[in-house]
Amino acid sequence: MTHYGFFLLLVQLHYTIKQIYLKRECLNHTGAHKINNTVEQALVAKSLGKKRVIAETVAGQHGVATATACALFDMECIIYMGEVDCKRQALNVFRMELLGAKVIPVTIGQRTLKEAVDVALGDLIENYENTFYLLGSAVGPDPYPAMVKHFQSIIGRETREQIMEAENRLPDYLVACVGGGSNAIGLFSEFYEDKNVKMIGVEPAGKGLETGLHAATMTLGTPGVIHGFKCLLLQDENGEPSEVHSIAAGLDYPGVGPEHSFYKESGRAEYVSVTDKETLDAFLRLSKLEGIIPALESSHAIAYAMKIAPTLSKDEIMVINLSGRGDKDVAQVAEMLGKM
Ligand SMILES: *Cc1c(COP(=O)(O)O)cnc(C)c1O
């Protein structure tokens, strides 16, 4: 690893050497880019004089990052989590409790994301005078998408500075995975005006786009409304959000940040998808080749980069956002490989 916080990865393909850099958000405290956002929003809450922070979480990662920020600033922290997700993510529930948060299982309806959001919004309406809702991605009603983008734009600013230092020019490609879209928009937005920098967002094709078991919002979604904002949405004929699937729990969301919908429609960024299988393969290859275990979310970006690497010319530069580390995913991968 260089002192840039970058890891230079030399991929030898077709006898040419290409420059592929990993932006290592995985080295952040708590293991992903999420902490960039939670620390800043906790500071906003503090400056607004709010003493109580609430959030909802599905996979538990945003809950852990929120609980961490609240512990740092000595704020009360309530995390709503569907009862089903609490069972699936028991270790993260314990982690949040260790950090001093109160985790409240949501027992209505399907007992997962949608209900957790409903209950958290109910709490906010009742307690808005002393409570701040800390949102985990570049989604939700205004001003959250713009605010979260701003807090995650540190990714893009560091990437620009560090690639200039390492290569003395801007990259040709930026590649990032897209769930709600915060790590991707944090990277992309800083390069919006640099028209020669191509941007590629990678979302989960899950078990295959044709199976219905995916979360390929940008690829197959249609305009709709979810959680107080309009975006490309996977929805049924009544406008209800569809069930989504991904090998990476952090990408399991039927909507996507409104700004990504704009980037797609305007053609500024391209959005593609990779399957669970391609993702797992990328997870294994990066671990083995570089000694870096990537989060399954980030492995989507790696998988697509591996696909297009052979088409790059020798002097092209690609930056992949490694949004998080994969320690959290090791048990799941072992199980999938039949090793547990
Ligand atoms: C939560 C998470 C994501 C997805 O969220 P975005 O808002 O799309 O960035 C991606 N990678 C990791 C490691 C995550 O924890």
Side-chain angles (χ1 to χ4, degrees), residues 240-261:
E240 285 294 321
S242 309
E243 287 266 332
V244 285
H245 163 86
S246 167
I247 189 175
L251 301 183
D252 247 344
Y253 186 60
V256 63
E259 205 160 334
H260 284 293
S261 307

Side-chain angles (χ1 to χ4, degrees), residues 31-34 61 136-138 177-184 250-251 295 297-298 323-325 328:
H33 66 295
K34 287 201 167 69
Q61 291 139 259
S137 190
C177 67
V178 178
S182 70
N183 86 87
L251 301 183
E297 289 82 2
S298 324
S323 54
R325 59 175 172 249
K328 67 182 179 58

Side-chain angles (χ1 to χ4, degrees), residues 7 56 143 168 203 214 217 222 246 271 334:
F7 198 97
E56 98 289 327
N168 202 26
E203 52 180 14
H214 60 78
T217 316
T222 51
S246 167
Y271 295 87

Side-chain angles (χ1 to χ4, degrees), residues 5-281:
F6 262 81
F7 198 97
L8 179 61
L9 177 68
L10 299 172
V11 182
Q12 262 177 311
L13 289 159
H14 297 230
Y15 308 105
T16 62
I17 307 245
K18 285 137 192 179
Q19 308 300 326
I20 301 183
Y21 287 84
L22 302 178
K23 175 69 175 91
R24 296 200 61 194
E25 290 301 296
C26 58
L27 296 175
N28 286 347
H29 183 47
T30 67
H33 66 295
K34 287 201 167 69
I35 195 82
N36 298 336
N37 172 49
T38 58
V39 164
E40 299 263 15
Q41 280 196 52
L43 284 170
V44 170
K46 221 178 165 65
S47 75
L48 291 173
K50 313 271 181 169
K51 300 201 161 31
R52 187 170 173 272
V53 167
I54 62 171
E56 98 289 327
T57 191
V58 187
Q61 291 139 259
H62 173 57
V64 169
T66 302
T68 302
C70 290
L72 181 64
F73 297 120
D74 200 15
M75 300 170 96
E76 184 185 353
C77 180
I78 313 281
I79 305 291
Y80 290 102
M81 197 169 178
E83 196 180 33
V84 173
D85 301 315
C86 286
K87 291 218 173 83
R88 276 188 226 159
Q89 303 290 339
L91 201 57
N92 273 337
V93 172
F94 180 60
R95 212 169 260 143
M96 288 181 260
E97 287 169 352
L98 276 177
L99 293 160
K102 186 169 174 201
V103 180
I104 302 184
V106 173
T107 56
I108 56 171
Q110 303 283 313
R111 295 170 293 144
T112 178
L113 171 71
K114 186 180 170 296
E115 293 78 17
V117 174
D118 290 345
V119 175
L121 286 174
D123 179 322
L124 180 66
I125 289 163
E126 218 166 279
N127 301 299
Y128 70 94
E129 279 179 353
N130 70 344
T131 297
F132 185 86
Y133 191 155
L134 205 159
L135 236 169
S137 190
V139 298
D142 181 61
Y144 284 103
M147 182 165 66
V148 175
K149 172 182 76 170
H150 178 64
F151 294 154
Q152 292 295 359
S153 67
I154 184 66
I155 302 173
R157 289 204 303 280
E158 286 179 351
T159 298
R160 175 185 289 273
E161 206 180 296
Q162 293 166 1
I163 202 74
M164 286 306 290
E165 208 173 326
E167 295 280 353
N168 202 26
R169 72 174 185 87
L170 295 182
D172 300 286
Y173 291 92
L174 301 173
V175 186
C177 67
V178 178
S182 70
N183 86 87
I185 206 72
L187 176 64
F188 293 177
S189 58
E190 288 295 308
F191 295 88
Y192 184 82
E193 303 288 343
D194 303 300
K195 301 293 182 211
N196 292 330
V197 179
K198 297 178 204 71
M199 303 167 176
I200 305 173
V202 188
E203 52 180 14
K207 294 190 189 301
L209 294 179
E210 67 294 343
T211 64
L213 298 170
H214 60 78
T217 316
M218 301 288 285
T219 310
L220 295 178
T222 51
V225 173
I226 181 174
H227 301 147
F229 70 105
K230 192 173 175 189
C231 65
L232 289 170
L233 178 68
L234 295 168
Q235 56 189 321
D236 67 15
E237 56 281 3
N238 301 319
E240 285 294 321
S242 309
E243 287 266 332
V244 285
H245 163 86
S246 167
I247 189 175
L251 301 183
D252 247 344
Y253 186 60
V256 63
E259 205 160 334
H260 284 293
S261 307
F262 165 72
Y263 274 42
K264 182 184 175 186
E265 264 179 25
S266 65
R268 182 60 190 92
E270 183 190 353
Y271 295 87
V272 298
S273 62
V274 298
T275 63
D276 287 352
K277 194 174 168 304
E278 291 168 316
T279 300
L280 184 59
D281 186 44

